[in-house]
Amino acid sequence: MEPLREGFRWYGDADPVPLSYIAQSGAKGVFTSLHQIPYGEEWSVADIKEHQAKLRRFNLDWDVVESVPVSEDIKLRTGDYKRHIQNYKNTVRNLAECGVRKIVYNFMPVLDWIRTDLHYKLPDGSQCLRFDPVQFAAFEIYLLKREGAEANYPPQQLALAKEFFESLSPDSVKAFERSIIDVFPGCKMGLQIEDVRKMLGRYDGMGPQKLKENLFLFLEEICPVAEECSSILAIHPDDPPFDVLGLPRIASRLEDFQQMFDAVPSPSNTICFCTGSLSAGNRNDIPRMAEALSDRIYVAHLRSTQTDPDGSFFEAGHLEGSVLMAKVVWLLLKAQDALSKRCGEKIVFRPDHGRDMADDLSKPPTPNPGYSYIGRMKGLAEIRGLEAGLIAANGGLLNL
Ligand code: DNO
């Protein structure tokens, strides 16, 4: 039994974690993107090759594109969506021409992942990312002023949200706002509250069925191109996997993915198995999902979350929290065996997020919350050790 292929995310030249460090982690497959290209535009072969050459200098491969972003026009099927879809197809082809064949994307409306605290202090002094419904209520009600937001929270949370918001100084209000609306991976879009309001307005009246239909229509167009190129598209689950901002969420539960694969059965239609996103809020049985979706997994993000009784969750250590990581990794090792028999491919994973710890804490705050070096290295090392133990035990090496 072979270990999974190890990956590490790199945000490009602006990433405070340089490729030389990534090379020292032992991971060989980089998850990266051309963050400078606006959503919806085509990526040229020349730009892809230039980026790839940077990795090659450190003997690293561009294993996974995370992400080729899907524009809001495509999600809404309005405006420029036809041109954006054409560009997406060209990008898939251009990437394949350079040998890059695994593409992650998400279909989350308006904002990518959501957290309310990017520096949550744990008792041991390290920091992690956290989502607190009370703080999120404060954001929705007092900053965004979203109509009807109050109805989504019980009275006790509303009272706590008011108390929390009133306790913030004007400077911390600004920082709080930025930590919620400006964490698009790899790029600072400089969104203002007014922009978010407008973006939300575009989804007025759109329910999950319509958004699903738009996702399936997008996949029906892109998957045949991906198939031609022997590429795969891997949808990233909603993070967190429950309703936020009154928006439809369509990639949260096992049934969502099963429905998506039934609607577009193309072998290029796959999932980026992100255990952290899926586990938030304890709504999903992660091992069950790994088993049920095993033949659609080429790419995985491994991390865990811990949900507290008040509904908040924080990013727990990679082998802690609610994800039964030993079981998930075991299922992925078996899925990889089947995958290599089927098509000679490996599953590539990256340690997803990590705490800010030790020397991470003495550096200027990263523009990429969750993507510290030491914290992610710890996660990688733990998962590597877990795999080695599982493989040795399975191979009878331990005489258990
Ligand atoms: C957060 C990431 C996500 C992910 C995108 C994929 O840390 O897991 O931002 O990269 O949603 O499209």
Side-chain angles (χ1 to χ4, degrees):
M1 189 171 241
E2 293 279 313
L4 306 174
R5 175 146 164 110
E6 293 177 356
F8 216 82
R9 191 172 196 171
W10 184 57
Y11 278 106
D13 295 331
D15 193 330
V17 179
L19 287 170
S20 57
Y21 283 22
I22 294 178
Q24 288 172 27
S25 75
K28 286 274 174 256
V30 177
F31 288 56
T32 186
S33 180
L34 299 185
H35 294 293
Q36 71 277 17
I37 300 183
Y39 289 18
E41 299 307 321
E42 178 180 337
W43 298 11
S44 72
V45 169
D47 285 346
I48 297 166
K49 286 205 165 136
E50 193 193 332
H51 197 68
Q52 193 173 37
K54 292 179 186 166
L55 310 186
R56 293 246 159 102
R57 267 178 235 134
F58 292 90
N59 280 321
L60 298 168
D61 296 318
W62 189 348
D63 271 26
V64 179
V65 186
E66 184 168 344
S67 309
V68 178
V70 176
S71 69
E72 289 297 292
D73 279 5
I74 294 181
K75 291 175 208 160
L76 289 154
R77 278 186 97 76
T78 52
D80 232 0
Y81 77 96
K82 286 195 178 139
R83 189 178 69 85
H84 289 177
I85 288 183
Q86 187 52 49
N87 287 342
Y88 210 102
K89 290 182 187 168
N90 296 346
T91 298
V92 172
R93 288 198 183 96
N94 294 346
L95 282 162
E97 196 179 318
C98 304
V100 185
R101 295 201 162 78
K102 296 188 177 78
I103 299 168
V104 172
Y105 68 100
N106 74 70
F107 225 76
M108 288 179 250
V110 183
L111 298 175
D112 198 292
W113 56 310
I114 296 178
R115 297 289 183 276
T116 55
D117 189 350
L118 307 178
H119 304 281
Y120 180 61
K121 284 197 183 46
L122 291 157
D124 64 5
S126 61
Q127 298 180 6
C128 70
L129 310 181
R130 179 171 183 259
F131 176 87
D132 180 346
V134 165
Q135 297 184 355
F136 200 65
F139 167 76
E140 287 206 77
I141 296 166
Y142 301 109
L143 285 170
L144 191 60
K145 304 192 168 63
R146 183 173 76 81
E147 213 177 295
E150 283 91 346
N152 294 356
Y153 300 91
Q156 200 202 353
Q157 282 188 344
L158 291 175
L160 289 169
K162 185 163 186 280
E163 205 177 293
F164 164 76
F165 193 72
E166 284 169 355
S167 75
L168 296 176
S169 68
D171 278 354
S172 35
V173 168
K174 206 66 214 152
F176 174 61
E177 179 191 302
R178 300 320 304 155
S179 65
I180 295 182
I181 64 175
D182 209 14
V183 289
F184 277 88
C187 55
K188 291 277 161 239
M189 296 217 191
L191 286 185
Q192 300 302 322
I193 282 283
E194 194 41 47
D195 302 319
V196 177
R197 240 174 246 138
K198 278 198 198 120
M199 289 165 86
L200 282 174
R202 297 181 73 190
Y203 286 86
D204 260 357
M206 186 187 277
Q209 274 325 315
K210 181 72 190 144
L211 187 64
K212 272 192 182 169
E213 194 181 304
N214 292 356
L215 167 65
F216 301 164
L217 289 167
F218 166 72
L219 288 172
E220 269 163 18
E221 294 207 55
I222 307 294
C223 284
V225 176
E227 270 185 64
E228 254 169 53
C229 303
S230 307
S231 300
I232 56 115
L233 289 161
I235 193 165
H236 188 283
D238 299 329
D239 184 2
F242 46 79
D243 291 354
V244 282
L245 297 171
L247 289 166
R249 295 292 248 184
I250 56 164
S252 293
R253 317 298 302 256
L254 179 56
E255 306 75 62
D256 293 331
F257 301 106
Q258 284 171 330
Q259 222 180 344
M260 178 181 105
F261 297 132
D262 286 348
V264 187
S266 159
S268 293
N269 186 11
T270 77
I271 177 176
C272 167
F273 198 71
C274 178
T275 56
S277 304
L278 291 168
S279 66
N282 283 345
R283 287 164 190 241
N284 288 312
D285 177 341
I286 313 296
R288 178 161 165 252
M289 290 181 89
E291 215 156 16
L293 303 172
S294 65
D295 58 346
R296 298 277 178 176
I297 303 176
Y298 291 70
V299 177
H301 291 170
L302 299 181
R303 72 176 161 87
S304 186
T305 57
Q306 173 70 52
T307 303
D308 284 326
D310 62 359
S312 66
F313 68 82
F314 67 89
E315 298 194 355
H318 288 73
L319 306 190
E320 294 158 13
S322 67
V323 176
L324 241 183
M325 198 55 87
K327 183 142 188 208
V328 172
V329 168
W330 174 242
L331 291 169
L332 291 180
L333 287 168
K334 289 206 296 183
Q336 173 174 269
D337 263 5
L339 182 69
S340 9
K341 284 196 192 103
R342 237 173 28 243
C343 60
E345 285 277 338
K346 294 197 86 174
I347 292 180
V348 53
F349 81 95
R350 62 177 178 80
D352 194 20
H353 300 182
R355 294 181 175 182
D356 284 333
M357 59 194 297
D359 278 1
D360 294 330
L361 292 165
S362 57
K363 295 183 190 128
T366 169
N368 309 310
Y371 291 89
S372 64
Y373 182 61
I374 298 180
R376 278 186 296 161
M377 280 280 286
K378 180 169 181 277
L380 176 61
E382 289 176 351
I383 292 165
R384 185 183 289 161
L386 173 60
E387 279 187 273
L390 287 168
I391 293 172
N394 180 57
L397 287 177
L398 306 179
N399 281 332
L400 294 178

